[in-house]
Amino acid sequence: MLHFYGWATPNSQRVSIMLEECGLTYAVTGVNIRARQQFAPEILALNPYGKIPILVEDGRAIFESGAILLHLAERHGVLWGEDRTTTLSWLMVALTSLGPFTGQAHHWTELAPEKPEAARAHTVALVDRVYRLLEGRLASVPYLAGCDCSIADIAAYPWVAKHGWAVRDLSTTPYLSAWFARMGERPAVQRGMRVPEGARLE
């Protein structure tokens, strides 16, 4: 049995979507990061970094969302797109730019008790740059790695779902908006975005 530890975060949703896309059976434990449950001893025993998501498989804990996506794609031979190298390149864009930059923008636009304009403008500009990149790519292909959905799309989708965190309006990027709608129609994506049931970021 696979055991997924996560919450209503984009990084967790990457993994729950992937589990659903693979058609796997898994148990779920919600870890409320707003209540700092990620630092509970039982979570630190699985991931000493005190972060989610975590996937336990055959008694082994796998952490970091990108590592989990790669593990499941390799183990089950799915969602590699047409070309492994292209898929890996766009996966890294989602892992190292889209996610971190959107998270930083969220901090400086909403969460920080003080919101210096320079920090807000800098992080929002970083997100804008990634969105221009994604828009250009999706103007020529339906999915980030080409004609087929891949782990690159799964890594990107939950973060694009949080475009409001970076004060983004998807109508300004029509190709990205169309991709977002296309991804959102996938049943596995819809199911994965609801895991854990009732989890909310507040």
Side-chain angles (χ1 to χ4, degrees), residues 4-13 29-40 43-44 47 49-54 103 106-107 111 159 162 165 195-196 198-202:
F4 166 69
Y5 295 79
W7 197 242
T9 68
N11 286 346
S12 292
Q13 289 163 339
T29 294
V31 181
N32 187 340
I33 64 169
R34 293 289 188 253
R36 299 180 63 81
Q37 292 177 353
Q38 68 271 34
F39 300 115
I43 301 301
L44 291 173
N47 180 1
Y49 204 178
K51 292 173 59 180
I52 53 170
I54 302 166
H106 185 218
H107 178 78
L111 299 178
W159 281 103
K162 297 295 187 185
W165 284 2
V195 178
R200 293 172 60 88
L201 275 182
E202 296 176 340

Side-chain angles (χ1 to χ4, degrees), residues 20 29 57 59-60 79 86 90 98 112 152 172 175 197:
E20 293 292 336
T29 294
E57 179 187 74
R60 299 177 303 160
L79 293 161
T86 302
W90 288 101
L98 176 62
T172 64
Y175 292 105
E197 184 178 355

Side-chain angles (χ1 to χ4, degrees), residues 6-7 10 35 61-62 71 76 102 105-107 116 127 130 132 148 155 161 163 198:
W7 197 242
I62 312 164
H71 170 76
H76 299 283
T102 305
H106 185 218
H107 178 78
V127 176
V130 180
R132 290 195 301 271
D148 300 323
H163 55 272

Side-chain angles (χ1 to χ4, degrees), residues 74-162:
E74 289 176 347
R75 185 173 180 88
H76 299 283
V78 296
L79 293 161
W80 277 112
E82 300 158 72
D83 174 73
R84 182 186 178 94
T85 301
T86 302
T87 297
L88 287 173
S89 294
W90 288 101
L91 173 64
M92 294 306 138
V93 170
L95 296 179
T96 67
S97 296
L98 176 62
F101 294 164
T102 305
Q104 290 172 34
H106 185 218
H107 178 78
W108 293 113
T109 60
E110 186 175 340
L111 299 178
E114 298 181 3
K115 301 175 178 62
E117 176 56 24
R120 189 206 68 80
H122 175 69
T123 54
V124 168
L126 291 173
V127 176
D128 287 345
R129 181 183 177 192
V130 180
Y131 273 57
R132 290 195 301 271
L133 173 67
L134 299 179
E135 177 73 358
R137 173 62 173 169
L138 293 166
S140 59
V141 291
Y143 296 99
L144 290 175
C147 293
D148 300 323
C149 182
S150 73
I151 51 174
D153 302 285
I154 291 171
Y157 179 83
W159 281 103
V160 175
K162 297 295 187 185

